[in-house]
């Protein structure tokens, strides 16, 4: 029930998928909102702290997801999927992971360019290495912003694809990620 089977995703994979989805959408929304905060806003320090903390927790979850993908059984692709859908699905998933890692890495390089570490919910500190390249915070900031837009666009395409499979193709693609089967 916790682990994947050849027919369905397990509870852990489902939790990681939807937890990552909620974190990505939430981080994007907070990031989009907080860039317009002024120094006098009560959220000026709180929002970035939460954004960084959740982002680093998501990074740890993503690394765990990679390990889980290699450790756990992967459910078979559905026979009803066309070959181009299978290729597009693999490419989309790989791009989702790549963009997430690039966004989280660039966020780290923005926040640590001044040499300070990042406190995760005041539980522990991830050390910073300072400015490794000239204008690191600005370059990493541009990467962070534009890749975040790209990630959200890909998330929308991913969701539309899942809805297409569910409502038009009437296959089990979406339902396999919504409930655990024995």
């Amino acid at each position: 029930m916790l682990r994947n089977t050849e027919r369905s995703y397990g509870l852990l994979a489902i939790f990681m998928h939807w937890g990552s989805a909620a974190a990505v959408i939430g981080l994007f929304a907070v990031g989009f909102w907080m860039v317009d905060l002024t120094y006098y806003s009560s959220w000026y320090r709180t929002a970035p702290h939460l954004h960084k903390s959740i982002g680093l927790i998501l990074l740890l979850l993503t690394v765990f997801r990679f390990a889980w993908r290699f450790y756990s059984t992967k459910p078979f692709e559905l026979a009803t999927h066309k070959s181009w859908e299978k290729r597009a699905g693999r490419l989309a998933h790989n791009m989702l992971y790549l963009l997430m890692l690039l966004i989280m890495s660039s966020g780290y390089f923005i926040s640590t360019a001044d040499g300070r570490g990042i406190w995760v919910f005041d539980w522990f500190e991830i050390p910073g290495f300072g400015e490794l390249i000239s204008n690191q915070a600005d370059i990493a900031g541009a990467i962070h912003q534009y890749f975040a837009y790209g990630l959200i666009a890909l998330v929308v395409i991913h969701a539309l694809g899942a809805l297409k499979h569910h409502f038009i193709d009437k296959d089990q693609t979406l339902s396999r990620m919504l409930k655990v089967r024995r």
Side-chain angles (χ1 to χ4, degrees), residues 108-165:
Y108 171 82
F109 288 119
I110 295 166
S111 299
T112 61
D114 62 1
R116 290 183 290 168
I118 303 170
W119 278 94
V120 178
F121 294 117
D122 296 326
W123 298 335
F124 58 92
E125 183 180 20
I126 304 290
F129 297 107
E131 192 172 65
L132 303 174
I133 61 170
S134 181
N135 297 324
Q136 175 175 308
D138 293 335
I139 294 166
I143 291 168
H144 195 74
Q145 178 183 4
Y146 293 118
F147 284 7
Y149 287 127
L151 178 62
I152 289 300
L154 193 53
V155 164
V156 168
I157 292 167
H158 179 66
L160 290 173
L163 293 172
K164 175 244 183 217
H165 280 288

Side-chain angles (χ1 to χ4, degrees), residues 12-98:
L12 187 56
I14 292 170
F15 171 76
M16 289 188 292
H17 175 270
W18 293 109
S20 295
V24 164
I25 293 166
L27 286 167
F28 181 80
V30 169
F32 190 80
W33 167 72
M34 75 181 186
V35 295
D36 290 329
L37 293 175
T38 66
Y39 180 77
Y40 301 104
S41 170
S42 61
W43 285 95
Y44 183 75
R45 293 196 194 291
T46 305
H49 175 70
L50 291 173
H51 186 81
K52 293 174 196 177
S53 294
I54 294 168
L56 286 169
I57 296 295
L58 179 61
L59 176 59
L60 294 173
L61 177 65
T62 303
V63 169
F64 182 77
R65 281 182 82 176
F66 280 131
W68 186 253
R69 284 181 69 177
F70 291 109
Y71 172 75
S72 182
T73 302
K74 185 174 185 215
F76 288 133
E77 294 174 330
L78 297 176
T80 57
H81 289 179
K82 298 170 184 71
S83 61
W84 71 267
E85 289 174 319
K86 293 175 185 178
R87 283 192 309 276
R90 283 190 296 273
L91 177 63
H93 281 100
N94 290 336
M95 288 302 299
L96 285 167
Y97 283 121
L98 178 63

Side-chain angles (χ1 to χ4, degrees), residues 1-17:
M1 191 149 166
L2 188 64
R3 295 183 57 168
N4 298 345
T5 68
E6 293 174 348
R7 292 184 55 234
S8 66
Y9 291 98
L11 192 57
L12 187 56
I14 292 170
F15 171 76
M16 289 188 292
H17 175 270

